[in-house]
PDB file of all heavy atoms in Angstrom:
ATOM      1  N   ARG G   1       0.872  -1.189   0.007  1.00  0.00           N
ATOM      2  CA  ARG G   1      -0.022   0.006  -0.015  1.00  0.00           C
ATOM      3  C   ARG G   1       0.890   1.231   0.004  1.00  0.00           C
ATOM      4  O   ARG G   1       0.508   2.300  -0.599  1.00  0.00           O
ATOM      5  CB  ARG G   1      -0.974   0.011   1.181  1.00  0.00           C
ATOM      6  CG  ARG G   1      -1.988  -1.086   1.194  1.00  0.00           C
ATOM      7  CD  ARG G   1      -2.894  -1.033  -0.004  1.00  0.00           C
ATOM      8  NE  ARG G   1      -3.924  -2.034   0.070  1.00  0.00           N
ATOM      9  CZ  ARG G   1      -3.930  -3.086  -0.717  1.00  0.00           C
ATOM     10  NH1 ARG G   1      -3.043  -3.341  -1.625  1.00  0.00           N
ATOM     11  NH2 ARG G   1      -4.897  -3.977  -0.636  1.00  0.00           N
ATOM     12  N   MET G   2       2.029   1.189   0.660  1.00  0.00           N
ATOM     13  CA  MET G   2       2.959   2.335   0.706  1.00  0.00           C
ATOM     14  C   MET G   2       3.541   2.622  -0.687  1.00  0.00           C
ATOM     15  O   MET G   2       3.848   3.788  -1.029  1.00  0.00           O
ATOM     16  CB  MET G   2       4.119   2.070   1.654  1.00  0.00           C
ATOM     17  CG  MET G   2       3.738   2.078   3.142  1.00  0.00           C
ATOM     18  SD  MET G   2       3.429   3.748   3.752  1.00  0.00           S
ATOM     19  CE  MET G   2       5.094   4.366   3.851  1.00  0.00           C
ATOM     20  N   THR G   3       3.678   1.618  -1.497  1.00  0.00           N
ATOM     21  CA  THR G   3       4.374   1.764  -2.772  1.00  0.00           C
ATOM     22  C   THR G   3       3.448   1.680  -4.025  1.00  0.00           C
ATOM     23  O   THR G   3       3.961   1.700  -5.130  1.00  0.00           O
ATOM     24  CB  THR G   3       5.458   0.733  -2.869  1.00  0.00           C
ATOM     25  OG1 THR G   3       4.941  -0.573  -2.832  1.00  0.00           O
ATOM     26  CG2 THR G   3       6.547   0.906  -1.839  1.00  0.00           C
ATOM     27  N   ASP G   4       2.184   1.503  -3.791  1.00  0.00           N
ATOM     28  CA  ASP G   4       1.266   1.345  -4.909  1.00  0.00           C
ATOM     29  C   ASP G   4       0.387   2.625  -5.093  1.00  0.00           C
ATOM     30  O   ASP G   4      -0.377   2.956  -4.235  1.00  0.00           O
ATOM     31  CB  ASP G   4       0.356   0.125  -4.657  1.00  0.00           C
ATOM     32  CG  ASP G   4      -0.626  -0.182  -5.765  1.00  0.00           C
ATOM     33  OD1 ASP G   4      -0.344   0.321  -6.920  1.00  0.00           O
ATOM     34  OD2 ASP G   4      -1.546  -0.880  -5.571  1.00  0.00           O
ATOM     35  N   PHE G   5       0.555   3.210  -6.183  1.00  0.00           N
ATOM     36  CA  PHE G   5      -0.209   4.420  -6.528  1.00  0.00           C
ATOM     37  C   PHE G   5      -1.058   4.228  -7.750  1.00  0.00           C
ATOM     38  O   PHE G   5      -1.088   5.060  -8.667  1.00  0.00           O
ATOM     39  CB  PHE G   5       0.791   5.560  -6.710  1.00  0.00           C
ATOM     40  CG  PHE G   5       1.699   5.817  -5.512  1.00  0.00           C
ATOM     41  CD1 PHE G   5       3.043   5.387  -5.532  1.00  0.00           C
ATOM     42  CD2 PHE G   5       1.139   6.440  -4.424  1.00  0.00           C
ATOM     43  CE1 PHE G   5       3.784   5.642  -4.418  1.00  0.00           C
ATOM     44  CE2 PHE G   5       1.934   6.667  -3.299  1.00  0.00           C
ATOM     45  CZ  PHE G   5       3.250   6.234  -3.301  1.00  0.00           C
ATOM     46  N   TRP G   6      -1.781   3.116  -7.779  1.00  0.00           N
ATOM     47  CA  TRP G   6      -2.545   2.766  -8.973  1.00  0.00           C
ATOM     48  C   TRP G   6      -3.559   3.870  -9.312  1.00  0.00           C
ATOM     49  O   TRP G   6      -3.795   4.153 -10.487  1.00  0.00           O
ATOM     50  CB  TRP G   6      -3.158   1.430  -8.921  1.00  0.00           C
ATOM     51  CG  TRP G   6      -4.281   1.254  -7.869  1.00  0.00           C
ATOM     52  CD1 TRP G   6      -4.177   0.939  -6.551  1.00  0.00           C
ATOM     53  CD2 TRP G   6      -5.684   1.569  -8.096  1.00  0.00           C
ATOM     54  NE1 TRP G   6      -5.329   0.978  -5.918  1.00  0.00           N
ATOM     55  CE2 TRP G   6      -6.272   1.342  -6.846  1.00  0.00           C
ATOM     56  CE3 TRP G   6      -6.378   1.903  -9.117  1.00  0.00           C
ATOM     57  CZ2 TRP G   6      -7.683   1.512  -6.650  1.00  0.00           C
ATOM     58  CZ3 TRP G   6      -7.784   2.070  -9.038  1.00  0.00           C
ATOM     59  CH2 TRP G   6      -8.385   1.861  -7.792  1.00  0.00           C
ATOM     60  N   GLN G   7      -4.098   4.480  -8.296  1.00  0.00           N
ATOM     61  CA  GLN G   7      -5.127   5.541  -8.564  1.00  0.00           C
ATOM     62  C   GLN G   7      -4.493   6.680  -9.303  1.00  0.00           C
ATOM     63  O   GLN G   7      -5.119   7.288 -10.148  1.00  0.00           O
ATOM     64  CB  GLN G   7      -5.762   6.041  -7.244  1.00  0.00           C
ATOM     65  CG  GLN G   7      -6.480   4.986  -6.442  1.00  0.00           C
ATOM     66  CD  GLN G   7      -5.694   4.456  -5.301  1.00  0.00           C
ATOM     67  OE1 GLN G   7      -4.437   4.475  -5.320  1.00  0.00           O
ATOM     68  NE2 GLN G   7      -6.299   3.970  -4.271  1.00  0.00           N
ATOM     69  N   LEU G   8      -3.283   7.014  -8.952  1.00  0.00           N
ATOM     70  CA  LEU G   8      -2.572   8.118  -9.679  1.00  0.00           C
ATOM     71  C   LEU G   8      -2.259   7.716 -11.094  1.00  0.00           C
ATOM     72  O   LEU G   8      -2.263   8.591 -11.968  1.00  0.00           O
ATOM     73  CB  LEU G   8      -1.344   8.546  -8.864  1.00  0.00           C
ATOM     74  CG  LEU G   8      -1.513   9.142  -7.530  1.00  0.00           C
ATOM     75  CD1 LEU G   8      -0.181   9.456  -6.881  1.00  0.00           C
ATOM     76  CD2 LEU G   8      -2.417  10.372  -7.567  1.00  0.00           C
ATOM     77  N   GLU G   9      -1.924   6.474 -11.295  1.00  0.00           N
ATOM     78  CA  GLU G   9      -1.708   6.039 -12.626  1.00  0.00           C
ATOM     79  C   GLU G   9      -2.961   6.150 -13.508  1.00  0.00           C
ATOM     80  O   GLU G   9      -2.881   6.601 -14.681  1.00  0.00           O
ATOM     81  CB  GLU G   9      -1.180   4.562 -12.675  1.00  0.00           C
ATOM     82  CG  GLU G   9       0.250   4.419 -12.102  1.00  0.00           C
ATOM     83  CD  GLU G   9       0.670   3.025 -12.007  1.00  0.00           C
ATOM     84  OE1 GLU G   9       0.019   2.112 -12.530  1.00  0.00           O
ATOM     85  OE2 GLU G   9       1.702   2.784 -11.282  1.00  0.00           O
ATOM     86  N   PHE G  10      -4.041   5.811 -12.924  1.00  0.00           N
ATOM     87  CA  PHE G  10      -5.359   5.944 -13.665  1.00  0.00           C
ATOM     88  C   PHE G  10      -5.604   7.421 -13.941  1.00  0.00           C
ATOM     89  O   PHE G  10      -5.989   7.774 -15.045  1.00  0.00           O
ATOM     90  CB  PHE G  10      -6.495   5.331 -12.851  1.00  0.00           C
ATOM     91  CG  PHE G  10      -6.713   3.829 -13.189  1.00  0.00           C
ATOM     92  CD1 PHE G  10      -5.849   2.890 -12.734  1.00  0.00           C
ATOM     93  CD2 PHE G  10      -7.812   3.464 -13.839  1.00  0.00           C
ATOM     94  CE1 PHE G  10      -6.052   1.575 -12.969  1.00  0.00           C
ATOM     95  CE2 PHE G  10      -8.045   2.139 -14.119  1.00  0.00           C
ATOM     96  CZ  PHE G  10      -7.158   1.142 -13.742  1.00  0.00           C
ATOM     97  N   HIS G  11      -5.370   8.266 -12.934  1.00  0.00           N
ATOM     98  CA  HIS G  11      -5.639   9.676 -13.084  1.00  0.00           C
ATOM     99  C   HIS G  11      -4.761  10.326 -14.157  1.00  0.00           C
ATOM    100  O   HIS G  11      -5.257  11.010 -15.044  1.00  0.00           O
ATOM    101  CB  HIS G  11      -5.430  10.374 -11.735  1.00  0.00           C
ATOM    102  CG  HIS G  11      -5.676  11.881 -11.765  1.00  0.00           C
ATOM    103  ND1 HIS G  11      -6.870  12.419 -11.381  1.00  0.00           N
ATOM    104  CD2 HIS G  11      -4.885  12.868 -12.088  1.00  0.00           C
ATOM    105  CE1 HIS G  11      -6.800  13.714 -11.471  1.00  0.00           C
ATOM    106  NE2 HIS G  11      -5.602  14.020 -11.894  1.00  0.00           N
ATOM    107  N   TYR G  12      -3.477  10.149 -13.992  1.00  0.00           N
ATOM    108  CA  TYR G  12      -2.551  10.837 -14.904  1.00  0.00           C
ATOM    109  C   TYR G  12      -2.223  10.114 -16.205  1.00  0.00           C
ATOM    110  O   TYR G  12      -2.113  10.747 -17.232  1.00  0.00           O
ATOM    111  CB  TYR G  12      -1.272  11.153 -14.177  1.00  0.00           C
ATOM    112  CG  TYR G  12      -1.483  12.145 -13.053  1.00  0.00           C
ATOM    113  CD1 TYR G  12      -1.398  11.796 -11.708  1.00  0.00           C
ATOM    114  CD2 TYR G  12      -1.715  13.480 -13.332  1.00  0.00           C
ATOM    115  CE1 TYR G  12      -1.634  12.667 -10.709  1.00  0.00           C
ATOM    116  CE2 TYR G  12      -1.945  14.416 -12.371  1.00  0.00           C
ATOM    117  CZ  TYR G  12      -1.849  14.033 -11.013  1.00  0.00           C
ATOM    118  OH  TYR G  12      -2.091  14.951 -10.046  1.00  0.00           O
ATOM    119  N   ASP G  13      -2.078   8.750 -16.177  1.00  0.00           N
ATOM    120  CA  ASP G  13      -1.687   8.076 -17.368  1.00  0.00           C
ATOM    121  C   ASP G  13      -2.875   7.776 -18.261  1.00  0.00           C
ATOM    122  O   ASP G  13      -2.710   7.730 -19.498  1.00  0.00           O
ATOM    123  CB  ASP G  13      -0.988   6.792 -17.046  1.00  0.00           C
ATOM    124  CG  ASP G  13       0.349   6.995 -16.327  1.00  0.00           C
ATOM    125  OD1 ASP G  13       0.864   8.115 -16.394  1.00  0.00           O
ATOM    126  OD2 ASP G  13       0.867   6.003 -15.772  1.00  0.00           O
ATOM    127  N   ARG G  14      -4.027   7.587 -17.663  1.00  0.00           N
ATOM    128  CA  ARG G  14      -5.188   7.193 -18.417  1.00  0.00           C
ATOM    129  C   ARG G  14      -6.260   8.271 -18.515  1.00  0.00           C
ATOM    130  O   ARG G  14      -7.251   8.118 -19.252  1.00  0.00           O
ATOM    131  CB  ARG G  14      -5.843   5.943 -17.855  1.00  0.00           C
ATOM    132  CG  ARG G  14      -4.910   4.758 -17.811  1.00  0.00           C
ATOM    133  CD  ARG G  14      -5.562   3.536 -17.212  1.00  0.00           C
ATOM    134  NE  ARG G  14      -4.647   2.492 -17.055  1.00  0.00           N
ATOM    135  CZ  ARG G  14      -4.933   1.273 -16.704  1.00  0.00           C
ATOM    136  NH1 ARG G  14      -6.205   0.909 -16.379  1.00  0.00           N
ATOM    137  NH2 ARG G  14      -4.085   0.335 -16.572  1.00  0.00           N
ATOM    138  N   GLY G  15      -6.062   9.383 -17.748  1.00  0.00           N
ATOM    139  CA  GLY G  15      -7.122  10.411 -17.744  1.00  0.00           C
ATOM    140  C   GLY G  15      -8.375   9.961 -17.124  1.00  0.00           C
ATOM    141  O   GLY G  15      -9.446  10.573 -17.334  1.00  0.00           O
ATOM    142  N   ASP G  16      -8.366   8.907 -16.322  1.00  0.00           N
ATOM    143  CA  ASP G  16      -9.564   8.330 -15.668  1.00  0.00           C
ATOM    144  C   ASP G  16      -9.648   8.902 -14.217  1.00  0.00           C
ATOM    145  O   ASP G  16      -8.856   8.536 -13.361  1.00  0.00           O
ATOM    146  CB  ASP G  16      -9.516   6.850 -15.645  1.00  0.00           C
ATOM    147  CG  ASP G  16     -10.705   6.169 -15.084  1.00  0.00           C
ATOM    148  OD1 ASP G  16     -11.609   6.856 -14.461  1.00  0.00           O
ATOM    149  OD2 ASP G  16     -10.873   4.946 -15.293  1.00  0.00           O
ATOM    150  N   LEU G  17     -10.613   9.778 -13.984  1.00  0.00           N
ATOM    151  CA  LEU G  17     -10.683  10.406 -12.683  1.00  0.00           C
ATOM    152  C   LEU G  17     -11.629   9.719 -11.726  1.00  0.00           C
ATOM    153  O   LEU G  17     -11.820  10.149 -10.573  1.00  0.00           O
ATOM    154  CB  LEU G  17     -11.168  11.873 -12.894  1.00  0.00           C
ATOM    155  CG  LEU G  17     -10.422  12.761 -13.918  1.00  0.00           C
ATOM    156  CD1 LEU G  17     -10.925  14.135 -13.930  1.00  0.00           C
ATOM    157  CD2 LEU G  17      -8.899  12.690 -13.612  1.00  0.00           C
ATOM    158  N   SER G  18     -12.146   8.611 -12.120  1.00  0.00           N
ATOM    159  CA  SER G  18     -13.209   7.907 -11.390  1.00  0.00           C
ATOM    160  C   SER G  18     -12.707   7.280 -10.070  1.00  0.00           C
ATOM    161  O   SER G  18     -13.485   6.956  -9.185  1.00  0.00           O
ATOM    162  CB  SER G  18     -13.931   6.813 -12.204  1.00  0.00           C
ATOM    163  OG  SER G  18     -13.016   5.899 -12.646  1.00  0.00           O
ATOM    164  N   PHE G  19     -11.413   7.184  -9.923  1.00  0.00           N
ATOM    165  CA  PHE G  19     -10.856   6.608  -8.733  1.00  0.00           C
ATOM    166  C   PHE G  19     -10.184   7.621  -7.775  1.00  0.00           C
ATOM    167  O   PHE G  19      -9.544   7.229  -6.801  1.00  0.00           O
ATOM    168  CB  PHE G  19      -9.836   5.502  -9.079  1.00  0.00           C
ATOM    169  CG  PHE G  19     -10.400   4.379  -9.833  1.00  0.00           C
ATOM    170  CD1 PHE G  19     -10.225   4.315 -11.204  1.00  0.00           C
ATOM    171  CD2 PHE G  19     -11.171   3.414  -9.197  1.00  0.00           C
ATOM    172  CE1 PHE G  19     -10.826   3.245 -11.926  1.00  0.00           C
ATOM    173  CE2 PHE G  19     -11.773   2.374  -9.922  1.00  0.00           C
ATOM    174  CZ  PHE G  19     -11.595   2.294 -11.275  1.00  0.00           C
ATOM    175  N   ASP G  20     -10.356   8.911  -8.097  1.00  0.00           N
ATOM    176  CA  ASP G  20      -9.673   9.914  -7.279  1.00  0.00           C
ATOM    177  C   ASP G  20     -10.073   9.914  -5.802  1.00  0.00           C
ATOM    178  O   ASP G  20      -9.257  10.042  -4.954  1.00  0.00           O
ATOM    179  CB  ASP G  20      -9.949  11.303  -7.853  1.00  0.00           C
ATOM    180  CG  ASP G  20      -9.189  11.555  -9.210  1.00  0.00           C
ATOM    181  OD1 ASP G  20      -8.484  10.674  -9.645  1.00  0.00           O
ATOM    182  OD2 ASP G  20      -9.316  12.628  -9.708  1.00  0.00           O
ATOM    183  N   GLU G  21     -11.316   9.569  -5.515  1.00  0.00           N
ATOM    184  CA  GLU G  21     -11.775   9.550  -4.161  1.00  0.00           C
ATOM    185  C   GLU G  21     -11.130   8.387  -3.387  1.00  0.00           C
ATOM    186  O   GLU G  21     -10.907   8.501  -2.157  1.00  0.00           O
ATOM    187  CB  GLU G  21     -13.274   9.446  -4.047  1.00  0.00           C
ATOM    188  CG  GLU G  21     -13.970  10.772  -4.450  1.00  0.00           C
ATOM    189  CD  GLU G  21     -15.485  10.682  -4.371  1.00  0.00           C
ATOM    190  OE1 GLU G  21     -15.988   9.885  -3.512  1.00  0.00           O
ATOM    191  OE2 GLU G  21     -16.127  11.419  -5.083  1.00  0.00           O
ATOM    192  N   LEU G  22     -10.847   7.356  -4.102  1.00  0.00           N
ATOM    193  CA  LEU G  22     -10.159   6.179  -3.424  1.00  0.00           C
ATOM    194  C   LEU G  22      -8.805   6.528  -3.010  1.00  0.00           C
ATOM    195  O   LEU G  22      -8.312   6.011  -2.003  1.00  0.00           O
ATOM    196  CB  LEU G  22     -10.137   5.002  -4.348  1.00  0.00           C
ATOM    197  CG  LEU G  22     -11.449   4.306  -4.604  1.00  0.00           C
ATOM    198  CD1 LEU G  22     -11.242   3.120  -5.608  1.00  0.00           C
ATOM    199  CD2 LEU G  22     -12.068   3.751  -3.364  1.00  0.00           C
ATOM    200  N   PHE G  23      -8.133   7.404  -3.748  1.00  0.00           N
ATOM    201  CA  PHE G  23      -6.759   7.804  -3.343  1.00  0.00           C
ATOM    202  C   PHE G  23      -6.757   8.450  -1.986  1.00  0.00           C
ATOM    203  O   PHE G  23      -5.921   8.095  -1.100  1.00  0.00           O
ATOM    204  CB  PHE G  23      -6.142   8.742  -4.455  1.00  0.00           C
ATOM    205  CG  PHE G  23      -4.740   9.150  -4.076  1.00  0.00           C
ATOM    206  CD1 PHE G  23      -3.701   8.292  -4.232  1.00  0.00           C
ATOM    207  CD2 PHE G  23      -4.530  10.419  -3.561  1.00  0.00           C
ATOM    208  CE1 PHE G  23      -2.393   8.639  -3.919  1.00  0.00           C
ATOM    209  CE2 PHE G  23      -3.182  10.792  -3.263  1.00  0.00           C
ATOM    210  CZ  PHE G  23      -2.159   9.945  -3.367  1.00  0.00           C
ATOM    211  N   THR G  24      -7.678   9.429  -1.818  1.00  0.00           N
ATOM    212  CA  THR G  24      -7.663  10.099  -0.514  1.00  0.00           C
ATOM    213  C   THR G  24      -8.127   9.170   0.638  1.00  0.00           C
ATOM    214  O   THR G  24      -7.587   9.220   1.727  1.00  0.00           O
ATOM    215  CB  THR G  24      -8.526  11.333  -0.503  1.00  0.00           C
ATOM    216  OG1 THR G  24      -9.854  11.010  -0.979  1.00  0.00           O
ATOM    217  CG2 THR G  24      -7.987  12.383  -1.451  1.00  0.00           C
ATOM    218  N   ALA G  25      -9.046   8.272   0.392  1.00  0.00           N
ATOM    219  CA  ALA G  25      -9.508   7.312   1.387  1.00  0.00           C
ATOM    220  C   ALA G  25      -8.371   6.360   1.742  1.00  0.00           C
ATOM    221  O   ALA G  25      -8.101   6.038   2.956  1.00  0.00           O
ATOM    222  CB  ALA G  25     -10.747   6.529   0.937  1.00  0.00           C
ATOM    223  N   ASP G  26      -7.676   5.790   0.722  1.00  0.00           N
ATOM    224  CA  ASP G  26      -6.556   4.897   0.968  1.00  0.00           C
ATOM    225  C   ASP G  26      -5.458   5.565   1.690  1.00  0.00           C
ATOM    226  O   ASP G  26      -4.760   5.018   2.513  1.00  0.00           O
ATOM    227  CB  ASP G  26      -6.077   4.288  -0.377  1.00  0.00           C
ATOM    228  CG  ASP G  26      -7.041   3.216  -0.905  1.00  0.00           C
ATOM    229  OD1 ASP G  26      -8.002   2.914  -0.245  1.00  0.00           O
ATOM    230  OD2 ASP G  26      -6.780   2.804  -2.050  1.00  0.00           O
ATOM    231  N   GLU G  27      -5.167   6.825   1.310  1.00  0.00           N
ATOM    232  CA  GLU G  27      -4.125   7.605   1.994  1.00  0.00           C
ATOM    233  C   GLU G  27      -4.412   7.765   3.452  1.00  0.00           C
ATOM    234  O   GLU G  27      -3.499   7.680   4.315  1.00  0.00           O
ATOM    235  CB  GLU G  27      -3.902   8.933   1.285  1.00  0.00           C
ATOM    236  CG  GLU G  27      -2.733   9.738   1.786  1.00  0.00           C
ATOM    237  CD  GLU G  27      -2.919  10.522   3.052  1.00  0.00           C
ATOM    238  OE1 GLU G  27      -4.075  10.941   3.279  1.00  0.00           O
ATOM    239  OE2 GLU G  27      -2.006  10.794   3.811  1.00  0.00           O
TER     240      GLU G  27
END
């Protein structure tokens, strides 16, 4: 979990913002 930023990959690499809320919850 410390090293996995899959939500950011979706956000920046794929332009998919649907997981942005998960990033803050997981953080």
Side-chain angles (χ1 to χ4, degrees):
R1 297 298 184 252
M2 289 286 286
T3 60
D4 183 16
F5 302 104
W6 68 269
Q7 299 100 334
L8 295 178
E9 290 174 15
F10 271 71
H11 179 96
Y12 292 108
D13 293 345
R14 300 180 186 186
D16 183 347
L17 311 182
S18 60
F19 299 102
D20 287 2
E21 289 183 27
L22 289 178
F23 180 76
T24 55
D26 286 353
E27 188 276 332

